[in-house]
Amino acid sequence: MRKTKALLTILVIYVVMQFCWWAYMLVDLNKEVFQHKIELTKIQVNAGNAQQSALRDLDKKLHSRFWMVAGEGAVFLILLIFSIQRLLVAYNKEMELARQQKNFLLSITHEFKSPLAAVKLNMQTMQRHKLESDKEKMIISSTIQEADRLNKLVENALMAAQIETHTYQLAKEKFDFSECIATNLQNRAVTLERTHIVTDIDKDIYITGDCTAATSILLNLIENAEKYSGDHPEIKVSLKQKNKEVILTVSDNGIGIADEEKGKIFEKFYRVGNEDTRNSKGTGLGLYIVKQLVDMHHAKISVLDNAPKGTIFQVTFTT
């Protein structure tokens, strides 16, 4: 990538220098032609007013030609530089997207293989050994967690593809947002057993939208908070209504998000660092899906710093 960019830069510099050189040669040649015409005029036209008038006309034509060449050259050069700049921007975007897609393939390969391997190992353990009831329940619980994790990965990959191709259909109906959140948190209690979730959910809050999509927003925000909050994270989930605004807040006490990263975290495949060295799990789709679903609900999402540390995601719906 760096070699290609360097080669492209050298080519651009060469083209601009060649253009400037040919413009100079054209102006110089134009001057030479008009110098010959001036000398010819002095020979052919007798001295006096006629000669002076002819020389002034030639001088005007010379200046006119110069400014014509300079003007057209400047316009061409501006268009050339603008086109090259846009080409470089597009090239950089494509290279960045290619890098992110490569990271995505690396991460999703690992993310799919990990739960499948765990499920297979658990099943083989139960098949080969006669286990005590407690150990058997523990293995079954672990298998369910891995299956839920794999199912979440498939759901996110499928939803991202549907969003990208504009085939995802968002239901538009009035539903109990409070009950939707409370029910799904309860259903996912097993998956989130290592996380301490503190809830502050007001009852009987209704919005118009899609409960399934709203659940995906919530769980992706929780999963994101869980990844960057250490071994035993504490996550706070609140749902409040202020006048015509319904505010869903997910806050954590993790490592936080740098200001320069806040504008990038909702991009598809975006993850900080390299997949080969990154410790946290993920595919770079969760927050992308969150942003897309928030936009589909005509809502807005804000990323704030938590005190003393951590991040606050705030989603504001309009009723």
Side-chain angles (χ1 to χ4, degrees), residues 2-35:
R2 290 181 178 178
K3 290 183 179 180
T4 304
K5 190 173 182 179
L7 183 62
L8 184 60
T9 302
I10 292 172
L11 179 62
V12 168
I13 294 173
Y14 174 77
V15 170
V16 172
M17 290 179 64
Q18 283 295 315
F19 173 79
C20 293
W21 171 249
W22 283 107
Y24 168 78
M25 292 292 292
L26 182 61
V27 171
D28 188 62
L29 180 62
N30 193 47
K31 284 183 179 180
E32 186 177 342
V33 169
F34 271 87
Q35 187 63 38

PDB file of all heavy atoms in Angstrom, residues 2-35:
ATOM      1  N   ARG A   2       1.918   1.269   0.845  1.00  0.00           N
ATOM      2  CA  ARG A   2       2.793   2.435   0.916  1.00  0.00           C
ATOM      3  C   ARG A   2       3.558   2.620  -0.387  1.00  0.00           C
ATOM      4  O   ARG A   2       3.752   3.750  -0.849  1.00  0.00           O
ATOM      5  CB  ARG A   2       3.764   2.287   2.090  1.00  0.00           C
ATOM      6  CG  ARG A   2       3.103   2.404   3.455  1.00  0.00           C
ATOM      7  CD  ARG A   2       4.122   2.273   4.568  1.00  0.00           C
ATOM      8  NE  ARG A   2       3.502   2.434   5.872  1.00  0.00           N
ATOM      9  CZ  ARG A   2       4.153   2.334   7.024  1.00  0.00           C
ATOM     10  NH1 ARG A   2       5.469   2.084   7.015  1.00  0.00           N
ATOM     11  NH2 ARG A   2       3.520   2.475   8.166  1.00  0.00           N
ATOM     12  N   LYS A   3       4.021   1.506  -1.005  1.00  0.00           N
ATOM     13  CA  LYS A   3       4.747   1.595  -2.262  1.00  0.00           C
ATOM     14  C   LYS A   3       3.844   2.133  -3.367  1.00  0.00           C
ATOM     15  O   LYS A   3       4.273   2.964  -4.185  1.00  0.00           O
ATOM     16  CB  LYS A   3       5.294   0.225  -2.643  1.00  0.00           C
ATOM     17  CG  LYS A   3       6.429  -0.268  -1.745  1.00  0.00           C
ATOM     18  CD  LYS A   3       6.959  -1.603  -2.223  1.00  0.00           C
ATOM     19  CE  LYS A   3       8.116  -2.080  -1.343  1.00  0.00           C
ATOM     20  NZ  LYS A   3       8.645  -3.391  -1.794  1.00  0.00           N
ATOM     21  N   THR A   4       2.611   1.659  -3.403  1.00  0.00           N
ATOM     22  CA  THR A   4       1.664   2.132  -4.417  1.00  0.00           C
ATOM     23  C   THR A   4       1.376   3.615  -4.247  1.00  0.00           C
ATOM     24  O   THR A   4       1.332   4.375  -5.223  1.00  0.00           O
ATOM     25  CB  THR A   4       0.347   1.337  -4.318  1.00  0.00           C
ATOM     26  OG1 THR A   4       0.625  -0.052  -4.435  1.00  0.00           O
ATOM     27  CG2 THR A   4      -0.611   1.748  -5.421  1.00  0.00           C
ATOM     28  N   LYS A   5       1.181   4.041  -2.996  1.00  0.00           N
ATOM     29  CA  LYS A   5       0.913   5.445  -2.718  1.00  0.00           C
ATOM     30  C   LYS A   5       2.111   6.310  -3.098  1.00  0.00           C
ATOM     31  O   LYS A   5       1.958   7.394  -3.661  1.00  0.00           O
ATOM     32  CB  LYS A   5       0.565   5.627  -1.242  1.00  0.00           C
ATOM     33  CG  LYS A   5       0.037   7.012  -0.905  1.00  0.00           C
ATOM     34  CD  LYS A   5      -0.438   7.060   0.533  1.00  0.00           C
ATOM     35  CE  LYS A   5      -1.017   8.444   0.846  1.00  0.00           C
ATOM     36  NZ  LYS A   5      -1.499   8.510   2.242  1.00  0.00           N
ATOM     37  N   ALA A   6       3.328   5.830  -2.785  1.00  0.00           N
ATOM     38  CA  ALA A   6       4.537   6.573  -3.127  1.00  0.00           C
ATOM     39  C   ALA A   6       4.687   6.697  -4.642  1.00  0.00           C
ATOM     40  O   ALA A   6       5.033   7.767  -5.163  1.00  0.00           O
ATOM     41  CB  ALA A   6       5.758   5.890  -2.523  1.00  0.00           C
ATOM     42  N   LEU A   7       4.424   5.601  -5.355  1.00  0.00           N
ATOM     43  CA  LEU A   7       4.505   5.611  -6.818  1.00  0.00           C
ATOM     44  C   LEU A   7       3.491   6.572  -7.409  1.00  0.00           C
ATOM     45  O   LEU A   7       3.794   7.333  -8.355  1.00  0.00           O
ATOM     46  CB  LEU A   7       4.279   4.199  -7.351  1.00  0.00           C
ATOM     47  CG  LEU A   7       4.398   4.011  -8.879  1.00  0.00           C
ATOM     48  CD1 LEU A   7       5.815   4.356  -9.336  1.00  0.00           C
ATOM     49  CD2 LEU A   7       4.052   2.585  -9.262  1.00  0.00           C
ATOM     50  N   LEU A   8       2.272   6.570  -6.864  1.00  0.00           N
ATOM     51  CA  LEU A   8       1.232   7.477  -7.334  1.00  0.00           C
ATOM     52  C   LEU A   8       1.618   8.931  -7.080  1.00  0.00           C
ATOM     53  O   LEU A   8       1.397   9.801  -7.926  1.00  0.00           O
ATOM     54  CB  LEU A   8      -0.096   7.144  -6.633  1.00  0.00           C
ATOM     55  CG  LEU A   8      -1.326   7.937  -7.085  1.00  0.00           C
ATOM     56  CD1 LEU A   8      -1.584   7.712  -8.565  1.00  0.00           C
ATOM     57  CD2 LEU A   8      -2.549   7.539  -6.280  1.00  0.00           C
ATOM     58  N   THR A   9       2.220   9.199  -5.926  1.00  0.00           N
ATOM     59  CA  THR A   9       2.659  10.566  -5.601  1.00  0.00           C
ATOM     60  C   THR A   9       3.740  11.036  -6.565  1.00  0.00           C
ATOM     61  O   THR A   9       3.711  12.178  -7.051  1.00  0.00           O
ATOM     62  CB  THR A   9       3.186  10.620  -4.154  1.00  0.00           C
ATOM     63  OG1 THR A   9       2.164  10.179  -3.258  1.00  0.00           O
ATOM     64  CG2 THR A   9       3.603  12.036  -3.782  1.00  0.00           C
ATOM     65  N   ILE A  10       4.715  10.156  -6.869  1.00  0.00           N
ATOM     66  CA  ILE A  10       5.779  10.497  -7.822  1.00  0.00           C
ATOM     67  C   ILE A  10       5.198  10.780  -9.196  1.00  0.00           C
ATOM     68  O   ILE A  10       5.601  11.734  -9.884  1.00  0.00           O
ATOM     69  CB  ILE A  10       6.809   9.347  -7.890  1.00  0.00           C
ATOM     70  CG1 ILE A  10       7.564   9.242  -6.565  1.00  0.00           C
ATOM     71  CG2 ILE A  10       7.792   9.569  -9.040  1.00  0.00           C
ATOM     72  CD1 ILE A  10       8.455   8.010  -6.470  1.00  0.00           C
ATOM     73  N   LEU A  11       4.226   9.963  -9.610  1.00  0.00           N
ATOM     74  CA  LEU A  11       3.581  10.158 -10.908  1.00  0.00           C
ATOM     75  C   LEU A  11       2.860  11.502 -10.969  1.00  0.00           C
ATOM     76  O   LEU A  11       2.942  12.220 -11.972  1.00  0.00           O
ATOM     77  CB  LEU A  11       2.599   9.014 -11.170  1.00  0.00           C
ATOM     78  CG  LEU A  11       1.820   9.072 -12.497  1.00  0.00           C
ATOM     79  CD1 LEU A  11       2.789   9.020 -13.670  1.00  0.00           C
ATOM     80  CD2 LEU A  11       0.808   7.934 -12.573  1.00  0.00           C
ATOM     81  N   VAL A  12       2.167  11.856  -9.884  1.00  0.00           N
ATOM     82  CA  VAL A  12       1.456  13.131  -9.831  1.00  0.00           C
ATOM     83  C   VAL A  12       2.432  14.301  -9.928  1.00  0.00           C
ATOM     84  O   VAL A  12       2.221  15.262 -10.688  1.00  0.00           O
ATOM     85  CB  VAL A  12       0.634  13.220  -8.526  1.00  0.00           C
ATOM     86  CG1 VAL A  12       0.132  14.651  -8.304  1.00  0.00           C
ATOM     87  CG2 VAL A  12      -0.550  12.259  -8.576  1.00  0.00           C
ATOM     88  N   ILE A  13       3.529  14.228  -9.166  1.00  0.00           N
ATOM     89  CA  ILE A  13       4.542  15.291  -9.203  1.00  0.00           C
ATOM     90  C   ILE A  13       5.138  15.414 -10.604  1.00  0.00           C
ATOM     91  O   ILE A  13       5.340  16.519 -11.115  1.00  0.00           O
ATOM     92  CB  ILE A  13       5.645  15.012  -8.162  1.00  0.00           C
ATOM     93  CG1 ILE A  13       5.066  15.111  -6.745  1.00  0.00           C
ATOM     94  CG2 ILE A  13       6.803  15.994  -8.321  1.00  0.00           C
ATOM     95  CD1 ILE A  13       6.032  14.677  -5.659  1.00  0.00           C
ATOM     96  N   TYR A  14       5.408  14.280 -11.257  1.00  0.00           N
ATOM     97  CA  TYR A  14       5.963  14.288 -12.611  1.00  0.00           C
ATOM     98  C   TYR A  14       4.996  14.949 -13.593  1.00  0.00           C
ATOM     99  O   TYR A  14       5.417  15.768 -14.433  1.00  0.00           O
ATOM    100  CB  TYR A  14       6.263  12.857 -13.049  1.00  0.00           C
ATOM    101  CG  TYR A  14       6.714  12.739 -14.485  1.00  0.00           C
ATOM    102  CD1 TYR A  14       8.011  13.068 -14.853  1.00  0.00           C
ATOM    103  CD2 TYR A  14       5.821  12.309 -15.468  1.00  0.00           C
ATOM    104  CE1 TYR A  14       8.418  12.970 -16.176  1.00  0.00           C
ATOM    105  CE2 TYR A  14       6.220  12.208 -16.793  1.00  0.00           C
ATOM    106  CZ  TYR A  14       7.517  12.547 -17.149  1.00  0.00           C
ATOM    107  OH  TYR A  14       7.916  12.446 -18.464  1.00  0.00           O
ATOM    108  N   VAL A  15       3.709  14.604 -13.506  1.00  0.00           N
ATOM    109  CA  VAL A  15       2.709  15.180 -14.418  1.00  0.00           C
ATOM    110  C   VAL A  15       2.627  16.693 -14.243  1.00  0.00           C
ATOM    111  O   VAL A  15       2.603  17.450 -15.221  1.00  0.00           O
ATOM    112  CB  VAL A  15       1.331  14.528 -14.174  1.00  0.00           C
ATOM    113  CG1 VAL A  15       0.241  15.289 -14.928  1.00  0.00           C
ATOM    114  CG2 VAL A  15       1.339  13.078 -14.613  1.00  0.00           C
ATOM    115  N   VAL A  16       2.590  17.154 -12.992  1.00  0.00           N
ATOM    116  CA  VAL A  16       2.506  18.601 -12.728  1.00  0.00           C
ATOM    117  C   VAL A  16       3.749  19.319 -13.230  1.00  0.00           C
ATOM    118  O   VAL A  16       3.660  20.387 -13.855  1.00  0.00           O
ATOM    119  CB  VAL A  16       2.299  18.855 -11.216  1.00  0.00           C
ATOM    120  CG1 VAL A  16       2.396  20.345 -10.903  1.00  0.00           C
ATOM    121  CG2 VAL A  16       0.952  18.321 -10.765  1.00  0.00           C
ATOM    122  N   MET A  17       4.926  18.734 -12.991  1.00  0.00           N
ATOM    123  CA  MET A  17       6.179  19.368 -13.447  1.00  0.00           C
ATOM    124  C   MET A  17       6.243  19.420 -14.973  1.00  0.00           C
ATOM    125  O   MET A  17       6.664  20.436 -15.558  1.00  0.00           O
ATOM    126  CB  MET A  17       7.377  18.598 -12.888  1.00  0.00           C
ATOM    127  CG  MET A  17       7.574  18.754 -11.384  1.00  0.00           C
ATOM    128  SD  MET A  17       8.993  17.811 -10.758  1.00  0.00           S
ATOM    129  CE  MET A  17      10.335  18.640 -11.622  1.00  0.00           C
ATOM    130  N   GLN A  18       5.823  18.344 -15.620  1.00  0.00           N
ATOM    131  CA  GLN A  18       5.805  18.322 -17.083  1.00  0.00           C
ATOM    132  C   GLN A  18       4.837  19.360 -17.644  1.00  0.00           C
ATOM    133  O   GLN A  18       5.125  20.038 -18.637  1.00  0.00           O
ATOM    134  CB  GLN A  18       5.439  16.925 -17.589  1.00  0.00           C
ATOM    135  CG  GLN A  18       6.562  15.916 -17.513  1.00  0.00           C
ATOM    136  CD  GLN A  18       7.718  16.283 -18.418  1.00  0.00           C
ATOM    137  OE1 GLN A  18       7.533  16.658 -19.578  1.00  0.00           O
ATOM    138  NE2 GLN A  18       8.926  16.196 -17.881  1.00  0.00           N
ATOM    139  N   PHE A  19       3.696  19.478 -16.992  1.00  0.00           N
ATOM    140  CA  PHE A  19       2.721  20.484 -17.439  1.00  0.00           C
ATOM    141  C   PHE A  19       3.311  21.890 -17.330  1.00  0.00           C
ATOM    142  O   PHE A  19       3.189  22.703 -18.252  1.00  0.00           O
ATOM    143  CB  PHE A  19       1.447  20.380 -16.589  1.00  0.00           C
ATOM    144  CG  PHE A  19       0.470  21.479 -16.860  1.00  0.00           C
ATOM    145  CD1 PHE A  19      -0.364  21.450 -17.967  1.00  0.00           C
ATOM    146  CD2 PHE A  19       0.383  22.580 -16.013  1.00  0.00           C
ATOM    147  CE1 PHE A  19      -1.241  22.473 -18.223  1.00  0.00           C
ATOM    148  CE2 PHE A  19      -0.501  23.606 -16.252  1.00  0.00           C
ATOM    149  CZ  PHE A  19      -1.319  23.559 -17.369  1.00  0.00           C
ATOM    150  N   CYS A  20       3.940  22.175 -16.188  1.00  0.00           N
ATOM    151  CA  CYS A  20       4.557  23.501 -16.002  1.00  0.00           C
ATOM    152  C   CYS A  20       5.662  23.742 -17.028  1.00  0.00           C
ATOM    153  O   CYS A  20       5.805  24.857 -17.580  1.00  0.00           O
ATOM    154  CB  CYS A  20       5.118  23.627 -14.590  1.00  0.00           C
ATOM    155  SG  CYS A  20       3.850  23.634 -13.299  1.00  0.00           S
ATOM    156  N   TRP A  21       6.450  22.697 -17.333  1.00  0.00           N
ATOM    157  CA  TRP A  21       7.535  22.839 -18.302  1.00  0.00           C
ATOM    158  C   TRP A  21       6.993  23.125 -19.704  1.00  0.00           C
ATOM    159  O   TRP A  21       7.483  24.020 -20.402  1.00  0.00           O
ATOM    160  CB  TRP A  21       8.382  21.572 -18.303  1.00  0.00           C
ATOM    161  CG  TRP A  21       9.395  21.518 -19.422  1.00  0.00           C
ATOM    162  CD1 TRP A  21       9.394  20.704 -20.503  1.00  0.00           C
ATOM    163  CD2 TRP A  21      10.570  22.333 -19.541  1.00  0.00           C
ATOM    164  NE1 TRP A  21      10.474  20.938 -21.304  1.00  0.00           N
ATOM    165  CE2 TRP A  21      11.220  21.946 -20.749  1.00  0.00           C
ATOM    166  CE3 TRP A  21      11.125  23.351 -18.769  1.00  0.00           C
ATOM    167  CZ2 TRP A  21      12.397  22.542 -21.180  1.00  0.00           C
ATOM    168  CZ3 TRP A  21      12.312  23.938 -19.203  1.00  0.00           C
ATOM    169  CH2 TRP A  21      12.942  23.538 -20.385  1.00  0.00           C
ATOM    170  N   TRP A  22       5.979  22.385 -20.128  1.00  0.00           N
ATOM    171  CA  TRP A  22       5.402  22.611 -21.458  1.00  0.00           C
ATOM    172  C   TRP A  22       4.703  23.965 -21.541  1.00  0.00           C
ATOM    173  O   TRP A  22       4.723  24.607 -22.603  1.00  0.00           O
ATOM    174  CB  TRP A  22       4.428  21.488 -21.817  1.00  0.00           C
ATOM    175  CG  TRP A  22       5.116  20.231 -22.233  1.00  0.00           C
ATOM    176  CD1 TRP A  22       5.230  19.084 -21.533  1.00  0.00           C
ATOM    177  CD2 TRP A  22       5.822  20.025 -23.457  1.00  0.00           C
ATOM    178  NE1 TRP A  22       5.960  18.146 -22.228  1.00  0.00           N
ATOM    179  CE2 TRP A  22       6.336  18.697 -23.434  1.00  0.00           C
ATOM    180  CE3 TRP A  22       6.072  20.817 -24.579  1.00  0.00           C
ATOM    181  CZ2 TRP A  22       7.081  18.165 -24.467  1.00  0.00           C
ATOM    182  CZ3 TRP A  22       6.818  20.269 -25.621  1.00  0.00           C
ATOM    183  CH2 TRP A  22       7.318  18.972 -25.563  1.00  0.00           C
ATOM    184  N   ALA A  23       4.119  24.409 -20.448  1.00  0.00           N
ATOM    185  CA  ALA A  23       3.522  25.759 -20.442  1.00  0.00           C
ATOM    186  C   ALA A  23       4.599  26.819 -20.628  1.00  0.00           C
ATOM    187  O   ALA A  23       4.420  27.799 -21.379  1.00  0.00           O
ATOM    188  CB  ALA A  23       2.777  25.982 -19.129  1.00  0.00           C
ATOM    189  N   TYR A  24       5.731  26.623 -19.935  1.00  0.00           N
ATOM    190  CA  TYR A  24       6.850  27.569 -20.079  1.00  0.00           C
ATOM    191  C   TYR A  24       7.373  27.559 -21.513  1.00  0.00           C
ATOM    192  O   TYR A  24       7.639  28.616 -22.106  1.00  0.00           O
ATOM    193  CB  TYR A  24       7.964  27.196 -19.099  1.00  0.00           C
ATOM    194  CG  TYR A  24       9.265  27.917 -19.365  1.00  0.00           C
ATOM    195  CD1 TYR A  24       9.432  29.248 -18.975  1.00  0.00           C
ATOM    196  CD2 TYR A  24      10.316  27.274 -20.024  1.00  0.00           C
ATOM    197  CE1 TYR A  24      10.625  29.918 -19.241  1.00  0.00           C
ATOM    198  CE2 TYR A  24      11.508  27.922 -20.279  1.00  0.00           C
ATOM    199  CZ  TYR A  24      11.660  29.247 -19.892  1.00  0.00           C
ATOM    200  OH  TYR A  24      12.835  29.907 -20.152  1.00  0.00           O
ATOM    201  N   MET A  25       7.534  26.355 -22.091  1.00  0.00           N
ATOM    202  CA  MET A  25       8.026  26.245 -23.464  1.00  0.00           C
ATOM    203  C   MET A  25       7.073  26.912 -24.449  1.00  0.00           C
ATOM    204  O   MET A  25       7.502  27.564 -25.413  1.00  0.00           O
ATOM    205  CB  MET A  25       8.204  24.768 -23.826  1.00  0.00           C
ATOM    206  CG  MET A  25       9.320  24.063 -23.065  1.00  0.00           C
ATOM    207  SD  MET A  25      10.961  24.673 -23.517  1.00  0.00           S
ATOM    208  CE  MET A  25      11.075  24.093 -25.208  1.00  0.00           C
ATOM    209  N   LEU A  26       5.770  26.758 -24.222  1.00  0.00           N
ATOM    210  CA  LEU A  26       4.775  27.369 -25.098  1.00  0.00           C
ATOM    211  C   LEU A  26       4.846  28.893 -25.032  1.00  0.00           C
ATOM    212  O   LEU A  26       4.805  29.577 -26.067  1.00  0.00           O
ATOM    213  CB  LEU A  26       3.376  26.881 -24.694  1.00  0.00           C
ATOM    214  CG  LEU A  26       2.208  27.392 -25.550  1.00  0.00           C
ATOM    215  CD1 LEU A  26       2.377  26.942 -27.004  1.00  0.00           C
ATOM    216  CD2 LEU A  26       0.882  26.879 -24.994  1.00  0.00           C
ATOM    217  N   VAL A  27       4.971  29.445 -23.836  1.00  0.00           N
ATOM    218  CA  VAL A  27       5.088  30.897 -23.677  1.00  0.00           C
ATOM    219  C   VAL A  27       6.371  31.409 -24.317  1.00  0.00           C
ATOM    220  O   VAL A  27       6.393  32.432 -25.002  1.00  0.00           O
ATOM    221  CB  VAL A  27       5.029  31.278 -22.170  1.00  0.00           C
ATOM    222  CG1 VAL A  27       5.378  32.749 -21.972  1.00  0.00           C
ATOM    223  CG2 VAL A  27       3.650  30.983 -21.598  1.00  0.00           C
ATOM    224  N   ASP A  28       7.476  30.660 -24.094  1.00  0.00           N
ATOM    225  CA  ASP A  28       8.757  31.067 -24.660  1.00  0.00           C
ATOM    226  C   ASP A  28       8.720  31.031 -26.188  1.00  0.00           C
ATOM    227  O   ASP A  28       9.241  31.939 -26.862  1.00  0.00           O
ATOM    228  CB  ASP A  28       9.851  30.144 -24.134  1.00  0.00           C
ATOM    229  CG  ASP A  28      11.242  30.628 -24.514  1.00  0.00           C
ATOM    230  OD1 ASP A  28      11.620  31.749 -24.086  1.00  0.00           O
ATOM    231  OD2 ASP A  28      11.946  29.898 -25.246  1.00  0.00           O
ATOM    232  N   LEU A  29       8.107  29.982 -26.745  1.00  0.00           N
ATOM    233  CA  LEU A  29       7.978  29.877 -28.193  1.00  0.00           C
ATOM    234  C   LEU A  29       7.104  30.995 -28.747  1.00  0.00           C
ATOM    235  O   LEU A  29       7.396  31.566 -29.816  1.00  0.00           O
ATOM    236  CB  LEU A  29       7.388  28.504 -28.555  1.00  0.00           C
ATOM    237  CG  LEU A  29       7.180  28.228 -30.059  1.00  0.00           C
ATOM    238  CD1 LEU A  29       8.515  28.250 -30.791  1.00  0.00           C
ATOM    239  CD2 LEU A  29       6.481  26.878 -30.251  1.00  0.00           C
ATOM    240  N   ASN A  30       6.057  31.317 -28.005  1.00  0.00           N
ATOM    241  CA  ASN A  30       5.177  32.401 -28.429  1.00  0.00           C
ATOM    242  C   ASN A  30       5.933  33.732 -28.483  1.00  0.00           C
ATOM    243  O   ASN A  30       5.784  34.530 -29.418  1.00  0.00           O
ATOM    244  CB  ASN A  30       3.994  32.499 -27.455  1.00  0.00           C
ATOM    245  CG  ASN A  30       2.882  33.370 -27.997  1.00  0.00           C
ATOM    246  OD1 ASN A  30       2.486  33.234 -29.149  1.00  0.00           O
ATOM    247  ND2 ASN A  30       2.393  34.281 -27.174  1.00  0.00           N
ATOM    248  N   LYS A  31       6.778  33.956 -27.486  1.00  0.00           N
ATOM    249  CA  LYS A  31       7.596  35.178 -27.471  1.00  0.00           C
ATOM    250  C   LYS A  31       8.549  35.214 -28.664  1.00  0.00           C
ATOM    251  O   LYS A  31       8.757  36.261 -29.300  1.00  0.00           O
ATOM    252  CB  LYS A  31       8.389  35.245 -26.171  1.00  0.00           C
ATOM    253  CG  LYS A  31       7.581  35.638 -24.961  1.00  0.00           C
ATOM    254  CD  LYS A  31       8.491  35.743 -23.739  1.00  0.00           C
ATOM    255  CE  LYS A  31       7.700  36.166 -22.504  1.00  0.00           C
ATOM    256  NZ  LYS A  31       8.575  36.275 -21.309  1.00  0.00           N
ATOM    257  N   GLU A  32       9.141  34.057 -28.962  1.00  0.00           N
ATOM    258  CA  GLU A  32      10.094  33.984 -30.075  1.00  0.00           C
ATOM    259  C   GLU A  32       9.415  34.274 -31.403  1.00  0.00           C
ATOM    260  O   GLU A  32       9.958  35.003 -32.255  1.00  0.00           O
ATOM    261  CB  GLU A  32      10.725  32.596 -30.089  1.00  0.00           C
ATOM    262  CG  GLU A  32      11.840  32.440 -31.112  1.00  0.00           C
ATOM    263  CD  GLU A  32      12.489  31.074 -31.039  1.00  0.00           C
ATOM    264  OE1 GLU A  32      12.331  30.391 -30.014  1.00  0.00           O
ATOM    265  OE2 GLU A  32      13.165  30.699 -32.027  1.00  0.00           O
ATOM    266  N   VAL A  33       8.218  33.725 -31.588  1.00  0.00           N
ATOM    267  CA  VAL A  33       7.466  33.969 -32.823  1.00  0.00           C
ATOM    268  C   VAL A  33       7.146  35.451 -32.967  1.00  0.00           C
ATOM    269  O   VAL A  33       7.311  36.056 -34.042  1.00  0.00           O
ATOM    270  CB  VAL A  33       6.172  33.121 -32.837  1.00  0.00           C
ATOM    271  CG1 VAL A  33       5.271  33.560 -33.981  1.00  0.00           C
ATOM    272  CG2 VAL A  33       6.509  31.647 -32.969  1.00  0.00           C
ATOM    273  N   PHE A  34       6.681  36.073 -31.878  1.00  0.00           N
ATOM    274  CA  PHE A  34       6.330  37.483 -31.945  1.00  0.00           C
ATOM    275  C   PHE A  34       7.576  38.366 -32.107  1.00  0.00           C
ATOM    276  O   PHE A  34       7.511  39.437 -32.720  1.00  0.00           O
ATOM    277  CB  PHE A  34       5.541  37.900 -30.693  1.00  0.00           C
ATOM    278  CG  PHE A  34       4.064  37.711 -30.839  1.00  0.00           C
ATOM    279  CD1 PHE A  34       3.466  36.501 -30.541  1.00  0.00           C
ATOM    280  CD2 PHE A  34       3.268  38.741 -31.319  1.00  0.00           C
ATOM    281  CE1 PHE A  34       2.111  36.311 -30.695  1.00  0.00           C
ATOM    282  CE2 PHE A  34       1.900  38.563 -31.470  1.00  0.00           C
ATOM    283  CZ  PHE A  34       1.311  37.351 -31.146  1.00  0.00           C
ATOM    284  N   GLN A  35       8.730  37.931 -31.621  1.00  0.00           N
ATOM    285  CA  GLN A  35       9.964  38.687 -31.814  1.00  0.00           C
ATOM    286  C   GLN A  35      10.339  38.710 -33.292  1.00  0.00           C
ATOM    287  O   GLN A  35      10.756  39.750 -33.831  1.00  0.00           O
ATOM    288  CB  GLN A  35      11.095  38.061 -30.984  1.00  0.00           C
ATOM    289  CG  GLN A  35      12.377  38.884 -30.978  1.00  0.00           C
ATOM    290  CD  GLN A  35      12.187  40.243 -30.351  1.00  0.00           C
ATOM    291  OE1 GLN A  35      11.454  40.391 -29.370  1.00  0.00           O
ATOM    292  NE2 GLN A  35      12.831  41.258 -30.939  1.00  0.00           N
TER     293      GLN A  35
END
